[in-house]
């Protein structure tokens, strides 16, 4: 015989609430309810870290593009090369012949005039400002596009996380570090480009991951990805016409700068600051962990010592290749397809009375011409013959 079902317990009563249909005002949709004002003692929800609106990366990109256009205007290939220019329809902005600059850009002489890094002018001409100005110059359209796309891809994310001040400082200081490393090792050619500063941003991403290790979920995957990106880019730097020493210098500088500028507070310290008034506060937590303080101090000391030593050695005329016979392979490895000791495409000129002295930089080729009043076009023609 079946037992009658037991009556439901009061604790299991199923209560359904039906919301009345919205009341319209003359067929118009109802007005949304007025927002509730937070109680003075109620905690407002806030994100753990502030999200910044990126603009400094866009400003740097625009500045590099403008400087390149100015460089092309100053270059004025049709006037200086008798119309033998690439993309001649661009007029004054036409590129140098491809045999001279395959990257579609100005001549080396123009880049030198605009502030390219030249060790002899930095050391003997006391033009230390070239260590900074070379960061804003690019050898051609190809060079510019690659660097700017990388800057936008990497820099915007970092600026959203850490703000324009810290990103701007990392960019400039890393660029200076790349210029110093390049000047200590590359003595026979000029150097331009933002690659050192870009590698600084990549290096700072690596150190930011390390110093904030406990805050990341997929930390091992992120670490392996960054290491792979760095290795691939440094491997591409062994190709000719690429200044890998600037990459290495910028990478090292950015790596130490990341420990200094990108240190994050711990979640426990943030949460204890959000205790509702009247509630008992949790035990006080430190803003940073001990290892973060140690890395911050060690990185700051290494930066100060490294930059001081590099600047002193540079202005004393130190050549790092004299004490490292294999270091030149870090920037270029010769193969059957290319050589690393290609001659530069610029020379220096000095007029003394009726004598014009030309020197092809990097090869020590020197020649004198008896010319009373040499024009710039004549000097460019003789330079091309001397250094070709």
């Amino acid at each position: 015989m079946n037992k009658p079902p037991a009556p439901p317990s009061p604790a299991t009563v199923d209560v359904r609430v039906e919301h009345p249909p919205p009341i319209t005002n003359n067929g118009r949709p109802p007005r949304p309810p007025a927002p509730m004002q937070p109680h003075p003692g109620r905690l407002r929800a806030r994100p753990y870290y502030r999200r910044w609106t990126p603009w400094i990366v866009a400003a740097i990109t625009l500045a590099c593009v403008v400087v390149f256009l100015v460089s092309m205007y100053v270059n004025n290939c049709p006037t200086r090369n008798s119309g033998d220019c690439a993309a001649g329809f661009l007029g004054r902005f036409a590129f140098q012949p491809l045999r001279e600059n395959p990257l579609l850009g100005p001549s080396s002489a123009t880049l030198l005039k605009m502030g390219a890094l030249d060790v002899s002018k930095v050391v003997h001409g006391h033009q230390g400002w070239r260590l900074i100005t070379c960061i804003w110059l690019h050898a051609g359209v190809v060079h510019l596009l690659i660097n700017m796309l990388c800057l936008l891809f990497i820099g915007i994310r970092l600026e959203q996380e850490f703000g324009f001040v810290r990103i701007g400082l990392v960019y400039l200081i890393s660029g200076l570090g790349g210029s110093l490393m390049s000047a200590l090792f590359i003595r026979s050619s000029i150097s331009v480009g933002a690659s050192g500063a870009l590698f600084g941003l990549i290096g700072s991403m690596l150190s930011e991951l390390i110093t904030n290790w406990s805050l990341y979920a997929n930390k091992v995957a992120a670490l392996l990805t960054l290491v792979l990106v760095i290795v691939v880019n440094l491997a591409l730097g062994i190709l000719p016409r690429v200044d890998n020493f600037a990459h290495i210098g910028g990478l090292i500088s950015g790596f130490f700068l990341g420990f200094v500028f990108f240190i994050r507070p711990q979640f426990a310290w943030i949460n204890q600051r959000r205790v509702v008034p009247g509630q008992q506060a949790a035990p006080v937590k430190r803003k940073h962990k001990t290892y973060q303080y140690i890395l911050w101090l060690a990185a700051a000391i290494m930066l100060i010592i490294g930059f001081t030593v590099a600047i002193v050695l540079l202005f004393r005329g130190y050549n790092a290749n004299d004490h490292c016979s294999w270091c030149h392979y870090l920037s270029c490895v010769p193969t059957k397809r290319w050589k690393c000791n290609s001659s530069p495409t610029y020379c220096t000129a000095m007029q003394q009375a009726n004598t014009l002295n030309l020197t092809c930089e990097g090869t020590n080729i020197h020649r004198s011409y008896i010319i009373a009043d040499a024009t710039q076009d004549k000097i460019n023609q003789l330079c091309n013959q001397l250094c070709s």
Side-chain angles (χ1 to χ4, degrees), residues 32-268:
M36 298 180 59
Q37 299 295 330
H39 190 271
R42 186 177 298 169
L43 180 66
R44 293 184 179 183
R46 294 184 300 175
Y48 282 118
Y49 301 108
R50 177 179 177 181
R51 297 285 291 182
W52 297 78
T53 301
W55 65 269
I56 191 67
V57 171
I60 292 173
T61 303
L62 179 61
C64 290
V65 172
V66 170
V67 170
F68 179 75
L69 293 176
V70 172
S71 301
M72 295 304 302
Y73 181 85
V74 173
N75 186 67
N76 195 8
C77 179
T79 302
R80 299 176 182 273
N81 291 271
S82 302
D84 184 18
C85 304
F89 61 90
L90 295 175
R92 183 164 186 149
F93 293 92
F95 309 119
Q96 287 294 115
L98 295 181
R99 66 177 180 275
E100 180 180 347
N101 188 345
L103 298 178
L104 299 177
S107 65
S108 298
T110 300
L111 292 173
L112 193 63
K113 182 188 299 184
M114 293 291 297
L117 178 59
D118 181 51
V119 178
S120 61
K121 293 185 179 297
V122 171
V123 177
H124 304 294
H126 304 288
Q127 298 177 5
W129 47 268
R130 291 181 178 271
L131 295 169
I132 297 296
T133 56
C134 67
I135 303 173
W136 307 93
L137 294 168
H138 289 83
V141 174
V142 178
H143 190 201
L144 178 68
L145 285 177
I146 293 175
N147 278 354
M148 293 305 100
L149 288 176
C150 292
L151 174 61
L152 293 173
F153 181 76
I154 298 172
I156 288 180
R157 176 260 172 187
L158 286 176
E159 188 177 356
Q160 288 175 338
E161 294 289 334
F162 299 100
F164 67 94
V165 174
R166 285 183 279 187
I167 293 302
L169 289 174
V170 171
Y171 185 87
L172 290 177
I173 299 175
S174 298
L176 175 60
S179 298
L180 288 172
M181 179 72 80
S182 177
L184 289 174
F185 283 94
I186 298 181
R187 319 285 294 189
S188 60
S189 62
I190 64 174
S191 178
V192 294
S195 300
L198 291 176
F199 267 80
L201 294 179
I202 297 176
S204 66
M205 293 174 64
L206 178 60
S207 55
E208 189 268 332
L209 174 63
I210 295 174
T211 191
N212 303 313
W213 185 259
S214 61
L215 305 180
Y216 282 89
N218 300 323
K219 55 192 74 176
V220 176
L223 178 62
L224 293 177
T225 302
L226 273 177
V227 171
L228 179 62
V229 170
I230 292 172
V231 170
V232 170
N233 281 275
L234 290 179
L236 294 176
I238 65 176
L239 298 175
R241 296 183 179 271
V242 179
D243 188 358
N244 213 24
F245 287 112
H247 298 171
I248 297 172
L251 178 67
I252 296 174
S253 301
F255 180 73
F256 288 122
L257 288 168
F259 290 118
V260 176
F261 290 123
F262 294 164
I263 182 173
R264 290 183 185 272
Q266 299 299 306
F267 284 144

Side-chain angles (χ1 to χ4, degrees), residues 307-349:
F307 274 86
T308 302
V309 171
I311 291 174
V312 170
L313 292 178
L314 173 62
F315 283 96
R316 287 188 175 182
Y318 178 80
N319 187 353
N321 294 293
D322 294 339
H323 299 84
C324 183
S325 59
W326 56 268
C327 285
H328 63 278
Y329 291 115
L330 294 176
S331 185
C332 182
V333 176
T335 65
K336 295 181 179 180
R337 295 182 177 272
W338 64 73
K339 297 180 180 180
C340 296
N341 57 345
S342 57
S343 301
T345 58
Y346 73 97
C347 65
T348 57

